[in-house]
């Protein structure tokens, strides 16, 4: 078991740092009644929010029900678990069930169909304690936020992280130098999970650890778009802005819309002009990127927009709430494009076992080139549909042609239909391709012996044959990449 899990704190007393947040949670639990507000824990990843909730439940002897997957957060499920009828004691005899909703700032969108509304309703009528967990307090709908008691978790100082790392080393019987612990604690930037993961990567299999064995590359921190936008309008150095933009998990055009959404806070007309000029220049780069499939320009687009707007705002800060770009709701076409890109990237990321941000930053151009050279293999291995293939080729009719010919090859590979006269149709295997549900005309019944080239023409290819292509095979696609 990796150490981050092995050393997850079991009781509130084991949680490092955030003492006032922990105290607030304990007080809430001890005095909880059906009229209490739910808790809303928020703060950056890896600082103990989830661990604290489980520790609280253990300390209180409460059962836990975690509603994580978005498909669990439908109105019906939430009502059944937390609604007025949920007062019964659990199997273990515990009178309370603590309901945990992680990623509460991810409720918007189709995945949590009815979830946000259901949570709101459920919070009004709940008969069980509820804790919501989020990274961004302002990622939650205002109505939901106001109905909760916020508990802020802060990034941990290196001086709090270091003793925990030493404790883990001593439990694992690893002699660990001060300098190694110090280096890891510093480079974790407040994220305990990251620190423990770095320690694990550096120390596993060793009996002693010193500064030169330390791997800090484990750290793969994601920066929220809110932090990035705040930094753009605040007093942030150019280098820091570029670094943040690399760590944020958003496409340049999405970053552009977020930044544009807050540009109105620049009151000086000259500054405003400069900000819009930078945004429109970035827009040109982004458009060019998609037209030419030249992804290196993404980097320029981001730099031009962030540094330009930062210059224009002169570090005066944002004096209103940062809101998601309004245009998103209206731009269904852009949304579709976004979904296609996200799907393609997530398949690539899974196949190459790389974070999506790294893929976007470093490998998109080379992958586009490779796809152009051998689109059939990529389409087949990544199970791309026409839109997905077109993402790389930027040529819809070529993408469709390729998928048609792949579908034809697949059809030709399909086994011969069963001979006439079989007694009873065998029931198809559960995962079998349902295509031959109706038997085609058996060969023997064809009117004349036809030469292969006189065979009746193939039926037209289905509209999106790529969807039926075989599942991707991680081992072959990037061999030698
Ligand atoms: N305050 C802490 N004290 C001790 N261990 C911690 C603390 N914070 C994090 N950890 C370590 O990091 C791991 C992950 O922590 P946890 O899941 O609680 O973070 P989180 O804030 O909920 O992150 P996320 O927002 O990504 O879910 C834990 O299993 C534990 O090993």
């Amino acid at each position: 078991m990796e150490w981050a899990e092995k050393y997850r704190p079991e009781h509130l007393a084991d949680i490092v740092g955030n003492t006032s947040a922990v105290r607030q949670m304990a007080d809430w639990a001890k005095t909880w009644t059906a009229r209490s507000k739910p808790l809303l824990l928020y703060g950056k990843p890896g600082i103990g929010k989830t661990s604290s909730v489980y520790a609280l439940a253990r300390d209180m002897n409460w059962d836990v029900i975690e509603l994580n997957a978005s498909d669990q957060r439908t109105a019906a499920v939430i009502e059944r678990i937390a609604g007025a009828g949920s007062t019964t004691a659990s199997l273990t005899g515990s009178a309370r069930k603590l309901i945990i909703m992680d990623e509460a700032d991810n409720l918007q969108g189709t995945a949590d169909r009815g979830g946000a509304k259901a949570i709101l309703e459920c919070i009004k009528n709940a008969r069980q304690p509820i804790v919501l967990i989020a990274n961004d307090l302002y990622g939650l709908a205002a109505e939901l936020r106001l109905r909760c008691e916020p508990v802020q978790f802060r990034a941990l100082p290196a001086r709090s992280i270091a003793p925990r790392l030493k404790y883990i080393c001593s439990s694992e019987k690893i002699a660990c130098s001060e300098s190694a612990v110090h280096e890891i604690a510093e480079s974790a930037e407040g994220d305990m999970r990251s620190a423990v993961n770095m320690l694990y990567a550096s120390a596993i299999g060793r009996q002693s650890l010193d500064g030169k064995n330390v791997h800090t590359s484990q750290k793969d921190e994601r920066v929220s778009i809110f932090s990035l936008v705040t930094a753009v309008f605040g007093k942030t150095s150019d280098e820091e802005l570029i670094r943040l933009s690399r760590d944020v998990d958003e496409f340049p055009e999405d970053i552009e819309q977020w930044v544009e959404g807050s540009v109105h806070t620049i009151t000086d007309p000259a500054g405003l002009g400069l900000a819009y000029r930078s945004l429109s220049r970035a827009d040109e780069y982004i458009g060019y990127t998609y037209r030419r499939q030249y992804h290196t320009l993404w980097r320029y687009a981001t730099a031009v927009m962030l540094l330009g707007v930062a210059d224009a705002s002169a570090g005066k800060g944002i004096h209103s709430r940062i809101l998601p770009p309004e245009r998103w709701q209206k731009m269904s076409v852009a949304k579709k494009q976004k979904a296609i890109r996200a799907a393609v990237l997530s398949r690539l990321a899974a196949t190459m076992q790389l974070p999506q941000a790294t893929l976007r930053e470093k490998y998109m151009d080379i992958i586009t080139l490779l796809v152009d050279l051998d689109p059939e293999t990529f389409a087949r291995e990544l199970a791309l549909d026409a839109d997905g293939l077109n993402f790389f080729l930027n040529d819809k009719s070529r993408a469709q042609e390729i998928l048609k010919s792949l579908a034809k090859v697949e059809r030709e590979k399909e086994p011969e239909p069963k001979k006439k006269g079989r007694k009873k149709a065998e029931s198809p295997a559960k995962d079998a391709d349902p295509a031959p549900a109706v038997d085609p005309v058996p060969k023997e019944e064809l009117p004349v012996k036809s030469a292969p080239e006189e065979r009746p023409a193939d039926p037209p290819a289905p509209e999106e044959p790529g969807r039926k292509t075989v599942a991707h095979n991680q081992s072959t696609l990037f061999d030698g990449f």
Side-chain angles (χ1 to χ4, degrees):
M1 192 196 296
E2 293 207 352
W3 292 348
E5 209 38 58
K6 185 171 174 186
Y7 292 98
R8 189 181 278 282
E10 295 209 333
H11 300 281
L12 279 180
D14 306 327
I15 300 285
V16 173
N18 282 304
T19 38
S20 61
V22 167
R23 197 174 319 116
Q24 191 181 346
M25 290 173 70
D27 291 346
W28 171 83
K30 280 182 206 142
T31 56
W32 188 87
T33 68
R35 299 167 67 87
S36 304
K37 281 182 170 183
L39 287 189
L40 168 56
L41 274 47
Y42 68 97
K44 60 184 277 189
I47 53 179
K49 300 182 297 295
T50 311
S51 307
S52 303
V53 189
Y54 278 90
L56 176 75
R58 190 170 294 113
D59 288 353
M60 297 296 296
N61 193 26
W62 288 351
D63 284 345
V64 165
I65 297 176
E66 188 165 356
L67 295 181
N68 261 352
S70 43
D71 58 353
Q72 293 175 340
R73 295 202 278 218
T74 60
V77 172
I78 293 173
E79 173 56 29
R80 180 160 45 78
I81 294 172
S86 68
T87 46
T88 45
S90 69
L91 286 177
T92 62
S94 161
R96 299 251 173 272
K97 291 176 278 183
L98 177 64
I99 295 155
I100 305 176
M101 293 184 198
D102 208 346
E103 296 180 32
D105 41 355
N106 263 337
L107 277 173
Q108 277 89 347
T110 50
D112 280 283
R113 274 167 323 226
K117 198 160 164 276
I119 289 181
L120 203 64
E121 279 308 306
C122 142
I123 279 173
K124 286 185 203 157
N125 311 314
R127 296 287 180 273
Q128 299 293 343
I130 301 179
V131 177
L132 280 72
I133 305 178
N135 290 132
D136 290 304
L137 181 61
Y138 289 98
L140 265 77
E143 214 182 340
L144 189 53
R145 205 172 59 234
L146 294 173
R147 288 195 180 268
C148 298
E149 180 181 327
V151 182
Q152 184 178 15
F153 271 70
R154 295 176 191 278
L156 298 164
R159 65 171 188 284
S160 305
I161 294 179
R164 183 72 175 173
L165 300 180
K166 285 186 195 163
Y167 163 77
I168 294 176
C169 283
S170 93
S171 309
E172 295 290 328
K173 303 199 176 10
I174 295 169
C176 186
S177 75
E178 276 296 329
S179 67
V181 166
H182 181 75
E183 190 177 336
I184 295 176
E186 283 292 341
S187 48
E189 291 175 21
D191 177 340
M192 179 71 96
R193 182 200 285 120
S194 200
V196 177
N197 282 341
M198 281 187 242
L199 181 69
Y200 180 78
S202 310
I204 189 77
R206 292 180 182 279
Q207 285 173 343
S208 66
L209 179 71
D210 59 31
K212 64 179 185 303
N213 313 123
V214 167
H215 304 300
T216 50
S217 56
Q218 269 290 309
K219 191 162 165 48
D220 180 24
E221 191 189 333
R222 296 275 155 263
V223 170
S224 83
I225 188 70
F226 293 94
S227 318
L228 179 64
V229 176
T230 310
V232 170
F233 291 86
K235 290 189 173 70
T236 315
S237 70
D238 291 355
E239 293 74 24
E240 179 65 0
L241 274 181
I242 297 296
R243 190 190 69 73
L244 289 173
S245 74
R246 292 212 181 103
D247 288 340
V248 79
D249 217 356
E250 300 280 349
F251 288 94
E253 61 271 37
D254 299 338
I255 298 179
E256 186 198 350
Q257 291 193 33
W258 279 95
V259 173
E260 191 188 331
S262 292
V263 146
H264 64 272
T265 58
I266 302 177
T267 44
D268 155 42
L272 202 56
L274 174 59
Y276 277 117
R277 265 202 305 285
S278 311
L279 286 168
S280 70
R281 174 48 68 90
D283 214 40
E284 279 173 33
Y285 281 131
I286 292 167
Y288 198 77
T289 305
Y290 285 112
R291 278 198 305 282
R292 303 285 154 138
Q293 297 290 296
Y294 185 42
H295 296 91
T296 310
L297 289 179
W298 264 343
R299 217 175 301 154
Y300 293 103
T302 314
V304 164
M305 121 179 65
L306 297 186
L307 303 189
V309 176
D311 251 7
S313 89
K316 292 201 176 116
I318 300 183
H319 307 295
S320 60
R321 272 184 54 201
I322 301 171
L323 291 171
E326 221 179 275
R327 264 157 60 191
W328 280 3
Q329 280 122 47
K330 298 173 193 156
M331 290 169 53
S332 59
V333 178
K335 266 191 193 165
K336 189 180 168 207
Q337 285 301 106
K338 211 171 153 226
I340 294 168
R341 287 195 311 268
V344 167
L345 269 177
S346 91
R347 275 180 215 181
L348 271 174
T351 306
M352 294 180 74
Q353 306 216 332
L354 282 174
Q356 294 193 17
T358 312
L359 265 176
R360 276 202 319 266
E361 277 289 318
K362 296 193 179 157
Y363 298 121
M364 282 315 285
D365 287 332
I366 183 79
I367 293 172
T368 305
L369 208 67
L370 291 171
V371 178
D372 197 44
L373 291 174
D374 187 1
E376 288 82 4
T377 306
F378 276 82
R380 198 174 50 241
E381 302 287 325
L382 292 173
L384 296 176
D385 61 11
D387 289 331
L389 191 54
N390 183 47
F391 172 76
F392 294 105
L393 300 179
N394 201 23
D395 182 344
K396 212 158 193 165
S397 52
R398 185 178 168 211
Q400 277 165 350
E401 277 309 307
I402 291 166
L403 289 175
K404 263 186 201 169
S405 68
L406 274 180
K408 193 170 166 198
V409 173
E410 286 296 318
R411 274 201 306 278
E412 284 168 0
K413 274 203 241 153
E414 274 171 14
E416 289 281 303
K418 293 236 157 131
K419 292 246 157 97
K420 189 183 155 197
R422 70 182 170 191
K423 282 191 184 124
K424 199 173 164 194
E426 287 160 25
S427 58
K430 205 170 162 221
D431 298 327
D433 190 340
V438 177
D439 267 358
V441 183
K443 279 226 166 73
E444 300 89 311
E445 287 183 5
L446 290 174
V448 268
K449 268 199 256 166
S450 49
E453 57 272 26
E454 290 167 356
R455 218 160 36 91
D458 282 316
E463 246 199 345
E464 286 194 317
R467 288 199 188 287
K468 274 185 65 189
T469 51
V470 286
H472 73 264
N473 177 351
Q474 191 173 308
S475 60
T476 55
L477 189 53
F478 290 101
D479 275 356
F481 181 74

